[in-house]
Amino acid sequence: MSDNLPRMDYRQHRRARRLVHECCNYDEGNCLLLDDGEPCVCVQSISLSLMCRWFRVAVLPLDGELAAALLYRGSRKRCAVCGAAFVPKSNRGKYCPDCAGRMKKLKAAERKRKQRQKCHALEPFKPA
């Protein structure tokens, strides 16, 4: 089973440990799901692997970049603007969700600028 678990490097582990505190089953370093009468240490906070299924499904998507780096290693891409890792929604995706909206506005403005430049209605009137 450990062959299928994604492994984290130290930076990813630190980011995951910060996220562990967002888990609804986390209680002062202990996991409520594993509690059977005596406190049990949260396995995700001490492991370099993604062991906790609840963490993987419910908490990890809160940090999209970390989730893309760990869960979608083969299908992730780098953003053309900021270089962040993300999972594209289609095979043509170039930008992360944060940069996509900004780039959409810039490209629309550029497209409209070209359209206005080609339009003859904005040129000064020349009598024949």
Side-chain angles (χ1 to χ4, degrees):
M1 180 169 167
S2 64
D3 298 339
N4 301 340
L5 296 176
R7 301 273 305 161
M8 295 182 270
D9 61 13
Y10 184 72
R11 286 184 181 168
Q12 292 170 337
H13 175 66
R14 295 297 299 166
R15 287 175 72 178
R17 285 210 41 188
R18 277 187 235 121
L19 276 178
V20 166
H21 297 281
E22 301 294 323
C23 184
C24 62
N25 297 315
Y26 183 81
D27 182 37
E28 299 176 6
N30 298 321
C31 182
L32 297 176
L33 285 177
L34 300 175
D35 190 2
D36 59 348
E38 25 182 285
C40 183
V41 175
C42 176
V43 291
Q44 193 55 58
S45 64
I46 60 174
S47 174
L48 285 175
S49 299
L50 283 178
M51 298 189 79
C52 181
R53 279 189 257 164
W54 182 264
F55 179 82
R56 195 179 315 155
V57 172
V59 182
L60 191 58
L62 295 176
D63 187 349
E65 187 176 344
L66 183 62
L70 294 175
L71 299 179
Y72 307 105
R73 291 183 183 198
S75 60
R76 69 182 175 149
K77 287 186 175 181
R78 293 258 174 219
C79 177
V81 177
C82 65
F86 74 101
V87 179
K89 294 181 181 177
S90 71
N91 62 344
R92 294 174 54 188
K94 279 173 58 169
Y95 308 111
C96 67
D98 297 332
C99 296
R102 193 171 348 119
M103 292 306 294
K104 184 176 179 180
K105 286 180 184 178
L106 289 174
K107 294 213 182 237
E110 183 181 336
R111 185 176 60 251
K112 291 303 270 183
R113 199 173 298 117
K114 280 185 182 179
Q115 183 182 9
R116 287 186 199 108
Q117 195 175 28
K118 288 182 181 178
C119 182
H120 297 289
L122 297 178
E123 291 182 10
F125 177 72
K126 294 182 183 178

